Amino acid sequence: MVKLKTDQEIDEMRAAGRVVARTLAAVREAAHVGVSLRELDGVARAVLREAGAGSPFLGYRPSFAPVPFPAVVCASVNDAIVHGIPDDYRLRDGDLVSIDCGATLRGWAGDAAVSFTVGRPRPADLRLIATAEAALAAGIAAAVPGNRIGDIAHAVGTVCRAAGYGVPDGFGGHGIGRSMHEDPGVPNEGPPGRGMKLRPGMVLAIEPMLTAGGGDDYSCDADGWTLRTTDGSRAAHAEHTVAITAAGPRILTTL
């Protein structure tokens, strides 16, 4: 069931979203060659703690997961698409890193993701990241009252496919509010004009995931969480929490 939010509740979610944005900015600033993914998770924990916020990621265990998620960010490097568990891997020159982060504040959740390169970037990686960001912007632009979920999906998928990238099958965005994952699901590809009609008060996490090799298949690591491209190509992920309002889409996870 979709839970519509009042303007005041959306303002509360905006506060949680700012914490997410600050956390992502701090992690990105700390992501230098030689820094471990576990250290980046520590940076995120410190920002959340200072803000008095909790993490909807830490201890999260959906039905597919063999163990609860052990960190406050997902850190996915190079061919990892999403859900990477921060470990002792130390960043190397030219790595492509995707960081996904959530925060809970006063009972409301925020969720966002960013991809970036470390050290000397590969031009192909910069193009991949720019396309993920453009797909996210297209999806957000379609998040207006009267449109449908399919219009967001179509906007995202069109940008990804036009650039020749793959869209991992079965993964996409979601509603968000008191819980990190609420109805409705928001696919990253699909026909326009279909699905639930968008109404003011809906809040969605829109999150394109792209694979450079053009394939939609993926595999899961032995940890039961990390998803990787099957062809070894690189991946990028971009996400914002967005409220649908009568005045247009309102991005809640910016600084």
Side-chain angles (χ1 to χ4, degrees):
M1 181 177 69
V2 174
K3 303 173 184 176
L4 298 181
K5 283 75 177 177
T6 66
D7 290 345
Q8 182 177 352
E9 288 172 336
I10 290 172
D11 287 342
E12 290 285 341
M13 293 190 69
R14 174 70 175 117
R18 283 194 182 95
V19 175
V20 174
R22 289 202 301 271
T23 306
L24 287 173
V27 169
R28 184 170 186 166
E29 178 67 22
H32 300 295
V33 173
V35 174
S36 74
L37 300 182
R38 199 181 305 277
E39 289 169 335
L40 294 183
D41 186 65
V43 169
R45 289 175 189 248
V47 176
L48 293 175
R49 185 168 54 249
E50 182 179 357
S55 169
F57 288 19
L58 185 63
Y60 178 61
R61 188 179 183 182
S63 58
F64 66 79
V67 295
F69 196 76
V72 301
V73 297
C74 297
S76 306
V77 180
N78 296 333
D79 64 332
I81 305 168
V82 287
H83 301 163
I85 296 176
D87 57 16
D88 292 326
Y89 176 85
R90 294 192 175 276
L91 295 174
R92 302 171 183 173
D93 187 46
D95 277 348
L96 193 167
V97 183
S98 296
I99 302 292
D100 192 355
C101 177
T104 53
L105 186 68
R106 296 190 290 272
W108 295 99
D111 187 11
V114 63
S115 293
F116 54 86
T117 57
V118 176
R120 292 169 294 182
R122 300 182 183 184
D125 289 345
L126 296 180
R127 178 174 177 265
L128 179 66
I129 293 168
T131 304
E133 293 171 348
L136 175 58
I140 292 171
V144 295
N147 271 359
R148 295 182 178 272
I149 291 292
D151 294 310
I152 298 175
H154 180 71
V156 169
T158 296
V159 172
C160 299
R161 296 299 186 187
Y165 296 129
V167 179
D169 188 38
F171 282 85
H174 49 87
I176 183 171
R178 290 289 187 184
S179 300
M180 179 171 60
H181 290 143
E182 296 183 353
D183 291 333
V186 186
N188 282 331
E189 191 171 33
R194 297 188 182 181
M196 182 178 295
K197 183 173 286 190
L198 304 180
R199 293 178 288 167
M202 294 176 68
V203 183
L204 307 173
I206 302 172
E207 51 178 322
M209 306 166 197
L210 289 66
T211 62
D216 301 346
D217 296 332
Y218 55 85
S219 61
C220 186
D221 282 4
D223 62 23
W225 279 98
T226 309
L227 303 184
R228 295 188 185 276
T229 61
T230 55
D231 59 5
S233 66
R234 295 192 168 196
H237 180 200
E239 179 183 15
H240 272 307
T241 295
V242 181
I244 296 168
T245 77
R250 182 183 178 190
I251 303 173
L252 305 183
T253 42
T254 56
L255 290 172

